[in-house]
Amino acid sequence: MATLADSFLVDLDELSDNELDTIEEEDVDADNMEEDIDGELADIETLNYDDLDSVSKLQNSQRYIDIMKKVENALEIGTDMSNQGIVLEDDPEYQLIVECNTLSVDIENEIVIIHNFIRDKYRLKFPELESLVHHPIDYARVVKKIANEIDLTLVDLEGLLPSAIIMVVSVTASTTSGKPLPEEVLQKTIEACDRALALDSAKKNVLDFVESRMGYIAPNLSAIVGSAVAAKLMGTAGGLTALAKMPACNVQLLGAKRKNLAGFSTATSHFRVGYIEQTEIFQGTPPSLRMRACRLLAAKSTLAARVDSTRGDPTGKTGRLFRDDILKKIEKWQEPPPAKQPKPLPVPDSEPKKKRGGRRLRKMKERYAVTDMRKLANRMQFGIPEESSLGDGLGEGYGMLGQAGSGKLRISAGPSKLAVKVAKRFKEKNYGSSGATSGLTSSLAFTPVQGIELSNPQAAFAASQLGSGTQSTYFSETGTFSKIKRA
């Protein structure tokens, strides 16, 4: 039987073996990471940024060429409705749409790469242009249009940029520190611009194909935002399934561009809005409600995309119901608030209001009751002038006071019930209930016969108590027993 010390030694050996294994694994991982880093550095070193073909490889790939041929053939043939009975995942047209969505994302990334190439080359000529024109396609068009021209007043940029941005670009170009590009560098830059514009045109063809099949692929989503916007949303998200998994707050931002206002007001600009701003519902909404409408459209579009991804309603009825719901809500938002109705006065009560009764209320009425003198002062006798305090009707009038025949202005007021009750209660109240006499009382009494007489008030009190009743006979100190003689 192993002792406790032996078991501890065995545990220590196992721990040391595990540590050695982990150290060896970490060494292997570190070696692999070093190899990967070395390989990436080697690729970066071998990458030639002067050669456009080494930077942009999508247009020369076989996958790009095959998909674009299929898209062109499908656009020429039109919509094939014979495959609607097939499961969506098994439909070859749906597979082509999924490939087109993936390709559109790749085209977007390729355009960004080419944009960086153009920006690096053209920075020597016009370094401020990249901060004025942010969109890659617009930047490529402006670079191709300007080329090596120094005076931008000779270059017509109408149709390429807004008029405010054109003015800022012209003013900035007159003070730029750039220099004309060499002919070889300019040629590569123009070639990169042509390639970016070609990729943008290919992306539009792909979106046109997807848009033409939206009524079959995503009928509910197309019913809400339209086929064009639905195709752009699917293309940017990477497919209908990816769009269905995306939250509504991200769907709202799909296709959003960074806007350059060139120092102008941001009051009318719509930030954080993507392709949804191109929908008919958004454009028909008043500007003050467009952000709320955008959030509502993004939420309903996400629900419709989830319905379409599971083929829950191929007829598109759910999408139309969602669209009607959105329109009703926007119409409800635009309704003016209800007018404030005039509040009518309450109906007057003919009956007097009920007041609580009781002893307290009766006492209050007695306390504030009108006296007889006040009643006479408030009355006037017909044909007899009243007397006043200042005479000749001046001052306070006395009414019928003094007109009862006595010739006096004051009448005798009888005692009120309240005064009688208070006096009675004061008289019945015993202030010396403990039997102790007050310190102000005196035992001296003044009589007309004897003058000052010393009296005992306690004896007088006892006499008054024993003066009546049976105590005066049976328990009297002076009383005696009487003898009755028998006849």
Side-chain angles (χ1 to χ4, degrees), residues 13 44 46 63 120 156 165 182 192 222 226 245 257 291 317 335 340 349 377 435 454 465 481 483:
D13 293 337
I44 293 174
T46 56
R63 168 173 162 268
D120 292 339
D156 186 15
I165 305 297
S222 301
K245 294 179 181 179
K257 298 178 183 178
M291 289 306 299
K317 183 179 179 181
E335 290 182 0
K340 187 177 181 181
D349 297 331
L454 183 62
Q465 293 291 331
F481 291 98
K483 295 180 181 180

Side-chain angles (χ1 to χ4, degrees), residues 248-403:
C249 58
N250 292 346
V251 174
Q252 178 182 345
L253 302 178
L254 289 178
K257 298 178 183 178
R258 183 182 177 185
K259 295 184 179 180
N260 183 18
L261 301 175
F264 290 93
S265 174
T266 60
T268 58
S269 63
H270 300 286
F271 292 100
R272 302 182 67 83
V273 179
Y275 292 128
I276 292 181
E277 69 177 351
Q278 302 175 11
T279 58
E280 181 182 355
I281 298 177
F282 185 88
Q283 296 296 330
T285 306
S288 59
L289 300 174
R290 283 186 177 179
M291 289 306 299
R292 295 178 64 184
C294 181
R295 287 191 290 267
L296 184 60
L297 278 169
K300 297 296 184 182
S301 300
T302 305
L303 294 178
R306 291 168 184 173
V307 173
D308 291 331
S309 64
T310 58
R311 303 299 292 173
D313 187 10
T315 60
K317 183 179 179 181
T318 304
R320 290 190 292 272
L321 291 177
F322 283 161
R323 181 184 177 87
D324 295 339
D325 188 18
I326 293 171
L327 294 175
K328 287 180 181 178
K329 286 186 177 181
I330 295 176
E331 186 177 357
K332 185 69 175 177
W333 295 342
Q334 299 180 44
E335 290 182 0
K340 187 177 181 181
Q341 299 294 335
K343 187 178 181 181
L345 295 174
V347 179
D349 297 331
S350 58
E351 299 179 358
K353 294 183 179 180
K354 295 180 181 180
K355 296 182 179 179
R356 65 183 302 271
R359 186 169 51 123
R360 184 181 301 172
L361 185 63
R362 289 195 300 270
K363 286 184 179 181
M364 185 186 70
K365 287 184 178 180
E366 290 178 3
R367 188 177 296 113
Y368 296 104
V370 181
T371 62
D372 294 336
M373 187 174 69
R374 178 57 61 184
K375 288 180 182 178
L376 289 175
N378 292 337
R379 293 175 184 173
M380 290 186 65
Q381 194 172 1
F382 181 75
I384 300 176
E386 65 174 354
E387 297 183 7
S388 59
S389 60
L390 301 178
D392 296 334
L394 301 175
E396 185 179 359
Y398 294 136
M400 293 181 63
L401 287 176
Q403 295 182 4

Side-chain angles (χ1 to χ4, degrees), residues 83-385:
N83 295 331
Q84 290 194 1
I86 305 177
V87 182
L88 187 63
E89 284 76 10
D90 299 335
D91 190 356
E93 196 169 57
Y94 176 74
Q95 297 296 332
L96 179 59
I97 290 175
V98 173
E99 292 177 357
C100 288
N101 290 328
T102 308
L103 181 63
S104 63
V105 176
D106 295 339
I107 290 175
E108 283 282 347
N109 297 331
E110 194 75 10
I111 289 175
V112 172
I113 293 173
I114 297 176
H115 171 64
N116 292 332
F117 179 84
I118 299 171
R119 192 176 56 184
D120 292 339
K121 298 297 181 183
Y122 204 71
R123 189 174 293 166
L124 301 175
K125 167 66 173 62
F126 197 172
E128 296 87 0
L129 183 62
E130 59 185 275
S131 61
L132 300 176
V133 182
H134 299 287
H135 196 264
I137 302 301
D138 293 341
Y139 185 82
R141 289 172 180 167
V142 172
V143 169
K144 184 178 179 181
K145 191 75 174 179
I146 297 176
N148 254 347
E149 185 64 43
I150 301 298
D151 188 6
L152 288 191
T153 57
L154 304 176
V155 180
D156 186 15
L157 297 178
E158 287 291 335
L160 301 181
L161 296 174
S163 57
I165 305 297
I166 291 175
M167 181 180 64
V168 175
V169 169
S170 301
V171 173
T172 309
S174 61
T175 59
T176 184
S177 59
K179 299 179 180 179
L181 295 177
E183 189 64 28
E184 183 181 357
V185 177
L186 179 62
Q187 191 65 29
K188 291 181 180 180
T189 305
I190 299 299
E191 184 182 353
C193 294
D194 293 336
R195 187 169 295 189
L197 296 177
L199 285 174
D200 185 63
S201 177
K203 180 186 174 183
K204 289 181 179 179
N205 291 334
V206 170
L207 291 179
D208 290 340
F209 166 71
V210 177
E211 179 183 347
S212 64
R213 304 301 190 269
M214 275 294 104
Y216 165 57
I217 300 299
N220 297 284
L221 182 61
S222 301
I224 298 176
V225 298
S227 300
V229 177
K232 292 177 182 178
L233 291 176
M234 285 181 56
T236 307
L240 184 60
T241 305
L243 182 63
K245 294 179 181 179
M246 191 175 293
C249 58
N250 292 346
V251 174
Q252 178 182 345
L253 302 178
L254 289 178
K257 298 178 183 178
R258 183 182 177 185
K259 295 184 179 180
N260 183 18
L261 301 175
F264 290 93
S265 174
T266 60
T268 58
S269 63
H270 300 286
F271 292 100
R272 302 182 67 83
V273 179
Y275 292 128
I276 292 181
E277 69 177 351
Q278 302 175 11
T279 58
E280 181 182 355
I281 298 177
F282 185 88
Q283 296 296 330
T285 306
S288 59
L289 300 174
R290 283 186 177 179
M291 289 306 299
R292 295 178 64 184
C294 181
R295 287 191 290 267
L296 184 60
L297 278 169
K300 297 296 184 182
S301 300
T302 305
L303 294 178
R306 291 168 184 173
V307 173
D308 291 331
S309 64
T310 58
R311 303 299 292 173
D313 187 10
T315 60
K317 183 179 179 181
T318 304
R320 290 190 292 272
L321 291 177
F322 283 161
R323 181 184 177 87
D324 295 339
D325 188 18
I326 293 171
L327 294 175
K328 287 180 181 178
K329 286 186 177 181
I330 295 176
E331 186 177 357
K332 185 69 175 177
W333 295 342
Q334 299 180 44
E335 290 182 0
K340 187 177 181 181
Q341 299 294 335
K343 187 178 181 181
L345 295 174
V347 179
D349 297 331
S350 58
E351 299 179 358
K353 294 183 179 180
K354 295 180 181 180
K355 296 182 179 179
R356 65 183 302 271
R359 186 169 51 123
R360 184 181 301 172
L361 185 63
R362 289 195 300 270
K363 286 184 179 181
M364 185 186 70
K365 287 184 178 180
E366 290 178 3
R367 188 177 296 113
Y368 296 104
V370 181
T371 62
D372 294 336
M373 187 174 69
R374 178 57 61 184
K375 288 180 182 178
L376 289 175
N378 292 337
R379 293 175 184 173
M380 290 186 65
Q381 194 172 1
F382 181 75
I384 300 176

